[in-house]
Amino acid sequence: MINYPHFEKGATIGVTAISSGVQAELHDMFKLACERMEARGFTVICGDTVWTQDKAKSAPAKLRAAEWNKMMVDDKIDIILPPWGGELLIESLEYIDFENIKNKWVLGYSDVSLLLLAITLKTGIATAHGTNLVDLRGEVWDETTAMWRAVLSTSPSESVVQHSSPKYQKKWDHANPSACLFHLTEQTAWKSLSSRNVKMQGRLLGGCIDVIRHLVGTPFGDVENFREKYIKDEPIIWYLENCELNTTDLRRSLVQMKLAGWFDQCSGLMFGRSSAETAVDNYSVEDVYKDMSDELNIPIIYDIDCGHVPPQMTFINGAFAEVELEEGKGTILQSFKP
């Protein structure tokens, strides 16, 4: 049984840097993000870790975890939204108090997806893979990013639908800032290996493959126990996004996940757009997808709105999803099924 947190208008956001904090030269930018959220009716409470960054982390692992644990049990805080991702969240995992995690939303992506997946696998509490706080500092939000509020406001047993973005951002143009932060210039097109329409359904799990692969073989990555305890062996749809892996490293990671049983009872794979996926010796990312599809005998959809090439949808780990790809357009219906 999956538990879904409750989210209301005017919620209090707890900001803690469980991975990377904000460098001193970027404090004004991040303060703008907080101000924009408060102007939209939210209350923002920032922890001390937000304002420090050294040696690829905001603070030592135990200190990061302690601030996280404190915010998680604080009844005044309704949702936890880290400033952004980073590199070394995994150092803090062993100090997270999973036994006392309250039923509140955690939203983020990149390195934060490591903790999102661990929370859902260990506790059955749904977590939200989507925008981070710093990317909400625009004057307006694009329609895809803006759906985070609607998705998190969905009541248990209710459903919410999202559609693929009209356009996506190919590269940053910091010299010419836009009102919605992103420069959405390229036509979005979801794809499948067969170029045919695709349908799949199952419970959603996923994140940034660069980091979630490191949960394999740890107490925080027990997918088999999650299936048996929380979803009664329902099929799983994995959504994955690649930040920095070339094609052979991506392939190795996917094979490791397969050998660890993560893709048992998997009904489909979805891959986000990526600017990484450098081909190795003529081995392309499409070759990786084809190999996985052939071995698992499941459909694969790729170039979806997920990850480091914005904008991105909000995916709920644990929710039951019905995914449809038709003529390059994607639709995801997420049901907050217990």
Side-chain angles (χ1 to χ4, degrees):
M1 178 175 173
I2 302 296
N3 290 311
Y4 299 92
H6 186 60
F7 180 75
E8 294 182 349
K9 185 177 181 180
T12 295
I13 299 171
V15 187
T16 180
I18 190 66
S19 182
S20 288
V22 181
Q23 299 92 330
E25 62 270 23
L26 298 177
H27 281 185
D28 287 344
M29 179 191 72
F30 188 72
K31 288 176 182 177
L32 176 60
C34 296
E35 291 166 3
R36 288 268 161 82
M37 294 300 283
E38 289 175 340
R40 290 180 167 99
F42 297 100
T43 299
V44 179
I45 298 175
C46 290
D48 293 339
T49 61
V50 172
W51 309 109
T52 56
Q53 175 70 6
D54 187 42
K55 298 188 184 298
K57 65 194 79 173
S58 65
K62 287 185 178 180
L63 184 59
R64 282 180 278 155
E67 187 175 271
W68 172 277
N69 292 334
K70 183 179 178 181
M71 284 196 176
M72 182 53 75
V73 299
D74 188 341
D75 290 332
K76 297 190 298 293
I77 292 174
D78 303 304
I79 175 175
I80 294 181
L81 215 173
W84 46 27
E87 302 287 348
L88 294 173
L89 185 149
I90 196 168
E91 294 179 335
S92 294
L93 272 187
E94 61 185 303
Y95 307 115
I96 297 293
D97 184 6
F98 287 94
E99 297 299 321
N100 292 303
I101 282 180
K102 291 203 172 183
N103 196 30
K104 62 178 70 175
W105 283 116
V106 184
L107 170 65
Y109 78 108
S110 193
D111 201 27
V112 174
S113 69
L114 181 85
L115 180 54
L116 299 178
L117 183 59
I119 289 172
T120 300
L121 291 180
K122 283 187 70 68
T123 70
I125 295 174
T127 52
H129 186 281
T131 186
N132 57 34
L133 183 54
V134 78
D135 286 342
L136 294 174
R137 70 183 188 278
E139 296 174 38
V140 297
W141 296 335
D142 67 273
E143 60 189 86
T144 306
T145 302
M147 279 297 294
W148 76 271
R149 280 195 300 191
V151 174
L152 269 56
S153 298
T154 303
S155 299
S157 300
E158 298 295 322
S159 300
V160 60
V161 66
Q162 295 176 89
H163 301 283
S164 55
S165 65
K167 293 184 177 181
Y168 71 93
Q169 173 177 283
K170 188 174 183 178
K171 60 181 180 179
W172 287 100
D173 186 5
H174 294 296
N176 297 291
S178 73
C180 76
L181 187 65
F182 303 130
H183 296 80
L184 307 174
T185 59
E186 310 301 309
Q187 194 71 37
T188 295
W190 288 20
K191 301 168 186 173
S192 70
L193 293 174
S194 63
S195 298
R196 298 174 185 163
N197 298 338
V198 175
K199 291 184 180 181
M200 58 178 76
Q201 63 180 28
R203 297 281 185 166
L204 285 175
L205 288 177
C208 178
I209 192 169
D210 306 47
V211 293
I212 67 169
R213 60 181 175 162
H214 296 300
L215 294 180
V216 170
T218 74
F220 310 101
D222 194 342
V223 176
E224 181 180 4
N225 179 70
F226 170 79
R227 282 198 304 261
E228 295 173 354
K229 187 173 182 180
Y230 296 112
I231 61 171
K232 306 301 181 187
D233 290 323
E234 291 182 78
I236 293 173
I237 298 173
W238 284 92
Y239 66 90
L240 301 165
E241 65 100 359
N242 174 12
C243 179
E244 297 178 335
L245 307 185
N246 66 25
T247 55
T248 49
D249 202 358
L250 176 63
R251 171 65 170 159
R252 284 192 296 266
S253 302
L254 289 166
V255 171
Q256 181 183 13
M257 293 162 74
K258 180 188 73 170
L259 296 176
W262 279 30
F263 298 145
D264 293 352
Q265 295 174 260
C266 177
S267 58
L269 295 176
M270 301 192 295
F271 291 91
R273 292 181 294 263
S274 175
S275 58
E277 295 162 351
T278 305
V280 177
D281 194 22
N282 201 36
Y283 188 53
S284 71
V285 72
E286 287 81 8
D287 293 327
V288 177
Y289 298 156
K290 185 177 188 305
D291 286 342
M292 295 306 300
S293 181
D294 290 346
E295 291 167 10
L296 299 173
N297 193 30
I298 57 172
I300 288 179
I301 298 173
Y302 61 99
D303 285 358
I304 70 168
D305 296 287
C306 178
H308 288 76
V309 183
Q312 58 180 315
M313 291 178 164
T314 303
F315 293 94
I316 303 301
N317 288 320
F320 186 84
E322 298 173 58
V323 182
E324 184 170 352
L325 167 63
E326 186 172 347
E327 297 181 356
K329 304 296 183 183
T331 300
I332 296 183
L333 177 72
Q334 293 183 90
S335 300
F336 285 15
K337 178 181 174 182

